[in-house]
Amino acid sequence: MPNGTVTVGRDSFGNLIRNGYIGDYHNYFEFEATGIVEQTYYCIEEKLNPLYLYPSKYTQPMKDIQKLLDGVTLPPEATTLEKVVLLSAELRKFLAYESGVTSIQTTAEEALVIGKGVCQDFSHILIALCRKNGIPARYVSGFMKGEGFTHAWIEYYENGVWYGFDPTHDRCIETGYIKIAHGRDYSDCALDKGVFSGLAQQKLEVFLKVEEQQQ
Amino acid sequence: MQTLTATKINSGISSAKANRLYWLGRYAERVYLTLHMLRKHFDLMIDEDKDSYISFCTKMGIENKYTSADDFTKRYLFDCSNPESVINMLERVKDNAMMLREEIMTETLCYIELSIAHMNKPEVQNKGIEGLQRITDYMLAFWGSIDERIVNNQIRHSIKFGKYLESLDLHIRFDYQFNRVEEIFARMLHSVEQECYICDELTLLTLKQHMTFDDYKNIGVLQLINSLFRS
Amino acid sequence: MYSLVKQKDTVNKWMERFGVRFGIYKSGNFHEQLFPFDPIPRVISHKDWVEIEAGLIQRVNALNMFLEDVYNDKSIVKAGIIPEEFIYSSSGYMAQCEGITPSKKIFSHISGIDLVQAKDGKWIVLEDNLRIPSGASYPMIARTITRKVSPETFKENAVFDNRNYSTLIRKAMDHVNVDNGLQVILTPGRYNSAYFEHSYLAEKAGVILAFADDLIVENDTVYYKGLFDKRERVGVIYRRISDEYLDPLAFESTSLLGVPNLMRAYAKGNVAIMNALGNGVADDKGIYYFVPKMVEYYLGEKAILQNAPTYLPYFEEDKKYVLENLKTLVIKDVAEAGGYGVMFGREMNDEQLANIKHLIETEPRRWIAQEVIDFIDLEIMEGEERIYRKADLRAFVISEAETKVWHSGLTRYTRSPTSFIVNSSQGGGFKDTWIMKK
């Protein structure tokens, strides 16, 4: 395989983007990213971008999300975390975990209609529910220890800080999650994206390994 | 009147564009020469060989799927659903010309538009080949406009290369004498020498060796001609 | 003008000769058809024009300032003039454009402002088009032809020439060109409805017509791929491809029309793209309501050109008015374009009215409502007969070192006597637009 060049930049959400390109004819394109992550308590201090208050492409609240919302009453004195927990609990009544039913193109509303989905769908719906209740929320892609796949969860915003919450496992995140990118929804934080020109079949293989470093 | 003198400070030719220039030349010349050859065969059909259209098909390298001379006239000339028809050759010219408007200019493209509009008129279709003298006139005007308007040599030679290559191909197919074929070959070489990028040098070298009185009618020569363009 | 009208058929023959067409898709198949041309021009008096011109320049200047503001400080939101929701939930807002300042700070280089003239003579803005306004080539070529066919008409009437449109475009391209690179018009290809215009403007402006495959981005710089792998630096792209298809890596990843990584080159300031990405946030039907307020906010002037009276159900007071007066209003879906998603209250039955009421109550942000304007009908020739039809005017405003209005415009008319929607994708025709010198 001919060698390509790699450039580094940031997208408008602040995510680090590495960009590679091969101009000569080639049969495959391969890249490897490695790193050592030092885990700290999951909280990110940041100024709020109001963007995360409003519906995005995958999180448009249509009929079914509205119906779900109508069924929950959030106590006005509840903290933001309590509200998120309540919304997540409610969401689980309508969505069961099952892989292979939805795809990366499935919107929050569509997943809710199907009633089944994966981490991406849990996150999209919870984001839609939070935003509808005035809680800023964003989508996160990343990894968890001991999993063979990428994972997705959400961050909600309170008093100048983003906190993590994992709707798939219905728990708030303190540590143990490795965040790669965030954005309004999945479309802003796909872990890899690419195009090629030419008549060819394509097959994508991803191998992921997260392990604790030996001291 | 305030118009911009369309002087191009740059000469962007991408490989896709080079491809279009070449095919524009080929198809435009194919229209012109096909009409020329057809007239000869239609003349023969008057009183010498009423099935001369069959030998036309053979020389052209197309299957004779036509039931009669009348059927041939109708479908080979005017039928849009027949991929080898003259009207379809014009459509191919137009496909390429439309994508090259800024190089060949609207005034040049006009002759193709006019040709297609003319061929689609019912009164023209009723007249058969006689009604197509106008197309020949338009094609000559088209080539005149190419010479007159295209200042960029690279662009003009690329089109001309396609033109002479097509001409060479058809003259050999229709059994022209070697001296005629040789003349056309020389003109093609002239445009290639100006713009050598456009053709495969090795193939050209082989072709030069075979472009002789004894050899030029060999089927291999036609194949060489048609693989000369480096797309 | 009489001799010109008599020459209608000759004019149409010339149109055919020049290949003046636009493409449409009918049941999935691509067709090209001639854009019907009516020989009676729309005539705008010099006096009217002076006011329209000043109004358009003012409006487009404010819109350009708004675009710069909205992707940077958002002072107009902070000042409480536009609610932030109208920005962030606009389908035209592009988060990817945050913080990007295009070459020479121009966002909308070519703006198409749609106007109508009300019966009282006042000109009213119906819509701003700041993304890829098209149609200027038609009156330009119509003038080329009518001057040939009926020279005496133009001897008798002092009309501003309009064949300089391509020169205006070229100057706008040269003005923002980065590092004196190549100038290209990027077209999605010949099966685009406006392909004629793309190729015609490239010819007349003397720039390269490029297809997506002709361009490549390397090291965040855009190049034209010449022969022998020769790379020519591109400095400005007048793109005729909409934002979401422009870069498959930044936006719609299935797009074959776009150039991978173009967005990165643009964000780094290595290429000018006209019009800028993200302009949709300013020509959104919801934002339209706020344009006169922008003029006041950014320029400290009263808007010269008025909007049609518009109500935003987002505001309680407006919602109440809209729901009470639905039958006399026209309701528009802010997400739709091209004459779609437009409903006239007076044409709806009770069930439809109840339905739209419900939608307005549940999704107030999605709708705007406007008073129906009684606008002046224009004469058109139907065979030998003169009849009257609804018509609008798209004026073209070019922003470069200064803001200029092209001395003409695209006048479109409806062919059906009952239709109020003038749009070429819905089967209308066009007229030349004459701006009188005196």
Side-chain angles (χ1 to χ4, degrees), chain A residues 44-202:
Chain A
I44 300 154
E45 253 180 84
E46 214 177 271
K47 224 179 114 214
L48 177 66
N49 183 343
L51 184 68
Y52 299 116
L53 268 164
Y54 300 99
S56 56
K57 189 176 164 192
Y58 283 87
T59 63
Q60 290 293 338
M62 313 292 271
K63 232 173 47 213
D64 278 62
I65 289 183
Q66 194 55 51
K67 222 162 62 195
L68 201 164
L69 270 169
D70 294 342
V72 228
T73 27
L74 299 176
E77 70 284 359
T79 64
T80 308
L81 173 61
E82 283 165 355
K83 286 180 185 167
V84 174
V85 169
L86 276 169
L87 290 170
S88 175
E90 190 65 19
L91 152 63
R92 302 180 72 79
K93 294 184 195 160
F94 295 90
L95 194 73
Y97 189 93
E98 188 174 327
S99 57
V101 188
T102 53
S103 77
I104 52 168
Q105 263 111 35
T106 309
T107 65
E109 181 76 15
E110 287 163 1
L112 200 55
V113 171
I114 298 169
K116 291 166 189 165
V118 293
C119 55
Q120 175 179 324
D121 308 303
F122 277 90
S123 301
H124 278 157
I125 300 172
L126 187 57
I127 289 169
L129 296 175
C130 287
R131 288 180 187 166
K132 262 291 186 186
N133 279 290
I135 305 166
R138 66 187 184 189
Y139 186 96
V140 182
S141 314
F143 316 125
M144 276 175 78
K145 199 191 135 196
E147 260 194 79
F149 305 98
T150 61
H151 190 47
W153 57 92
I154 78 150
E155 287 174 1
Y156 65 91
Y157 192 80
E158 187 179 23
N159 291 329
V161 182
W162 287 104
Y163 298 98
F165 189 91
D166 181 351
T168 315
H169 299 101
D170 194 23
R171 64 183 180 212
C172 46
I173 299 168
E174 290 178 351
T175 185
Y177 285 67
I178 301 169
K179 171 176 168 176
I180 300 295
H182 64 244
R184 290 164 295 184
D185 53 37
Y186 169 77
S187 62
D188 291 335
C189 22
L191 289 184
D192 46 58
K193 239 180 173 183
V195 287
F196 62 87
S197 52
L199 291 168
Q201 295 277 316
Q202 67 168 325

Side-chain angles (χ1 to χ4, degrees), chain B residues 1-4 6-10 12-18 20 94-95 98-99 101-102 105-107 110-111 113-114 117 154 197 230, chain C residues 16-19 21 32 161 163-164 167 170 182-183 190 195-196 199-200 202-209 211 214 224-228 232:
Chain B
M1 182 181 130
Q2 302 167 272
T3 46
L4 189 95
T7 45
K8 212 146 288 179
I9 52 162
N10 39 62
I13 303 182
S14 64
S15 63
K17 190 187 271 186
R20 285 179 210 121
K94 188 179 140 190
D95 280 345
M98 273 180 72
M99 311 270 269
R101 183 192 291 269
E102 90 279 19
M105 320 288 269
T106 293
E107 288 83 350
C110 280
Y111 294 110
E113 296 278 1
L114 286 167
Q154 208 173 10
Y197 69 89
R230 197 168 63 177
Chain C
E16 190 178 290
R17 179 187 178 111
F18 279 6
R21 290 199 186 84
E32 276 189 321
D161 197 356
R163 291 166 296 172
N164 62 339
T167 312
R170 173 65 180 266
L182 284 188
Q183 309 98 324
R190 71 161 281 197
Y195 179 75
F196 166 78
S199 62
Y200 190 69
E203 175 191 350
K204 294 298 170 191
V207 300
I208 292 169
L209 183 66
F211 300 81
D214 296 338
Y224 182 86
K225 287 191 284 186
L227 293 163
F228 304 118
E232 290 175 87

Side-chain angles (χ1 to χ4, degrees), chain B residues 32-80:
Chain B
Y32 175 78
L33 278 178
T34 299
L35 289 175
H36 180 73
M37 306 299 181
L38 276 172
R39 286 194 187 93
K40 295 191 155 186
H41 283 262
F42 274 98
D43 183 81
L44 288 174
M45 284 196 273
I46 299 170
D47 48 7
E48 279 189 40
D49 171 13
K50 69 178 173 49
D51 287 334
S52 178
Y53 74 92
I54 297 173
S55 73
F56 175 89
C57 290
T58 312
K59 288 174 186 165
M60 204 61 180
I62 58 174
E63 189 196 340
N64 173 27
K65 57 187 177 193
Y66 307 97
T67 53
S68 65
D70 276 351
D71 183 48
F72 174 78
T73 310
K74 213 184 277 159
R75 286 166 60 208
Y76 185 72
L77 294 178
F78 303 106
D79 184 357
C80 296

